[in-house]
């Protein structure tokens, strides 16, 4: 009985580490790609990119991770999001950058109904 309890305790403590590793494996197509592009549909998101691009980017990324079967990130794991216009004055050129334990992401919204997420894994 003690062995079972010890095993369950160790397993529960290592679950977040295993979940992150599993997400990296999923995002990188079993480590065969160092970067990969994904799309999420704007109509599936509640936030607005023009009003709050940082929150919108986090929501889009969590939506993607959920769709792929990864756990959503807790607030402490989300990482910092920085959004900037590549062409100053052109709102359509806005791109957000997010990095966390999974890798780093470039998130942008196109002129139609898609959010483009580029995943890059860490070395």
């Amino acid at each position: 009985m003690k062995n079972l309890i010890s095993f369950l305790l160790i397993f529960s403590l290592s679950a977040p580490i295993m979940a992150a590793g599993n997400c990296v494996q999923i995002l990188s197509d079993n480590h065969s790609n160092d970067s990969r592009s994904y799309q999420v549909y704007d109509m599936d998101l509640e936030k607005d990119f023009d009003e709050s691009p940082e929150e919108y980017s986090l929501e889009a990324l969590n939506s993607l991770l959920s769709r792929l079967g990864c756990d959503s990130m807790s607030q402490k794991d989300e990482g910092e999001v920085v959004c900037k216009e590549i062409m100053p004055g052109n709102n359509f050129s806005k791109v957000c950058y997010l990095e966390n334990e999974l890798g780093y992401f470039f998130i942008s919204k196109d002129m139609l109904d898609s959010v483009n997420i580029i995943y890059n894994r860490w070395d």
Side-chain angles (χ1 to χ4, degrees):
M1 184 67 165
K2 287 183 182 179
N3 289 340
L4 178 61
I5 293 172
S6 296
F7 173 76
L8 291 175
L9 181 61
I10 291 170
F11 182 76
S12 67
L13 293 174
S14 65
I17 296 167
M18 291 170 48
N22 187 41
C23 285
V24 170
Q25 193 170 1
I26 292 169
L27 286 165
S28 65
D29 197 20
N30 203 24
H31 302 290
S32 64
N33 294 307
D34 293 328
S35 63
R36 193 161 176 206
S37 65
Y38 295 93
Q39 281 191 325
V40 174
Y41 295 102
D42 179 58
M43 69 177 103
D44 295 336
L45 305 174
E46 293 179 19
K47 307 276 187 209
D48 186 278
F49 187 72
D50 295 325
E51 292 177 15
S52 178
E54 293 84 3
E55 290 180 20
Y56 183 90
S57 296
L58 288 170
E59 182 184 12
L61 183 55
N62 276 323
S63 175
L64 171 67
L65 294 176
S66 176
R67 187 180 80 201
L68 294 175
C70 293
D71 293 330
S72 291
M73 295 175 291
S74 66
Q75 265 192 316
K76 67 179 184 70
D77 297 331
E78 288 177 343
E80 183 180 355
V81 182
V82 176
C83 301
K84 295 192 177 192
E85 293 176 350
I86 295 173
M87 296 288 296
N90 183 345
N91 196 41
F92 294 116
S93 72
K94 189 175 288 183
V95 176
C96 296
Y97 173 82
L98 181 147
E99 64 180 54
N100 61 26
E101 64 184 15
L102 300 174
Y104 58 100
F105 301 84
F106 295 103
I107 303 167
S108 62
K109 185 175 180 301
D110 63 23
M111 292 185 182
L112 299 173
D113 296 325
S114 299
V115 180
N116 301 298
I117 301 173
I118 307 295
Y119 166 73
N120 299 279
R121 80 179 163 134
W122 295 117
D123 285 340

